Amino acid sequence: NIIEKNLVMEGVEEVSSGEDDTFLVQVHDVSPEQPHTVIKALRHSTAQDIIQQTLSKAKYSLSILSNPNACDYVLMEEVTKDAGGKKSSSAKPCQRVLQDHECVFQAQSRWKGAGKFILKLKEQ
């Protein structure tokens, strides 16, 4: 029965697509001991989720131990827009703080050039 076969195949697709639910995020300036870290996050992760994951991965860093609260941090997006044809040294990076509930995967997929996320304390 062709219809049954299709249903079975679709079921398989759904199971395997669970892996594609994740993406890699590189977070910079995590701590003096750890200039950057790469975490595997769910695509629907918010900035706060990413911060929490980053902190728990870097929990042995002294600066993180002294300030382990995710809500004290923000994720800053730094995107260097390609200045089209000109030397990239003239391209100024644009910096923007992500909202706590902003989807990091969506923010990252909007980049039109080199971009990175930087972990910052809110006071800074």
Side-chain angles (χ1 to χ4, degrees), residues 61-81:
S61 303
L62 291 174
S63 52
I64 303 291
L65 280 170
S66 63
N67 215 336
N69 271 339
C71 48
D72 290 339
Y73 293 88
V74 290
L75 260 194
M76 194 165 78
E77 171 187 84
E78 184 179 289
V79 183
T80 306
K81 291 207 168 71

Side-chain angles (χ1 to χ4, degrees), residues 32-81:
E33 304 89 349
Q34 194 168 19
H36 57 80
T37 185
V38 177
I39 53 174
K40 192 174 184 178
L42 289 169
R43 285 188 178 206
H44 55 74
S45 295
T46 62
Q48 271 296 308
D49 294 335
I50 299 293
I51 291 168
Q52 257 167 336
Q53 259 184 284
T54 305
L55 293 182
S56 64
K57 196 171 173 185
K59 59 176 173 275
Y60 303 112
S61 303
L62 291 174
S63 52
I64 303 291
L65 280 170
S66 63
N67 215 336
N69 271 339
C71 48
D72 290 339
Y73 293 88
V74 290
L75 260 194
M76 194 165 78
E77 171 187 84
E78 184 179 289
V79 183
T80 306
K81 291 207 168 71

Side-chain angles (χ1 to χ4, degrees), residues 5-56:
K5 258 193 189 147
N6 280 350
L7 282 174
V8 171
M9 286 312 289
E10 278 174 29
V12 171
E13 291 271 303
E14 275 174 37
V15 172
S16 63
S17 71
E19 285 292 296
D20 302 333
D21 246 12
T22 58
F23 72 114
L24 293 176
V25 195
Q26 189 169 47
V27 181
H28 293 261
D29 297 353
V30 177
S31 67
E33 304 89 349
Q34 194 168 19
H36 57 80
T37 185
V38 177
I39 53 174
K40 192 174 184 178
L42 289 169
R43 285 188 178 206
H44 55 74
S45 295
T46 62
Q48 271 296 308
D49 294 335
I50 299 293
I51 291 168
Q52 257 167 336
Q53 259 184 284
T54 305
L55 293 182
S56 64

Side-chain angles (χ1 to χ4, degrees), residues 76-106:
M76 194 165 78
E77 171 187 84
E78 184 179 289
V79 183
T80 306
K81 291 207 168 71
D82 200 17
K86 294 187 198 128
K87 285 206 173 76
S88 55
S89 58
S90 64
K92 283 212 162 63
C94 291
Q95 292 188 331
R96 178 180 78 87
V97 171
L98 270 72
Q99 301 300 313
D100 284 353
H101 300 297
E102 192 168 337
C103 176
V104 175
F105 177 72
Q106 282 176 353

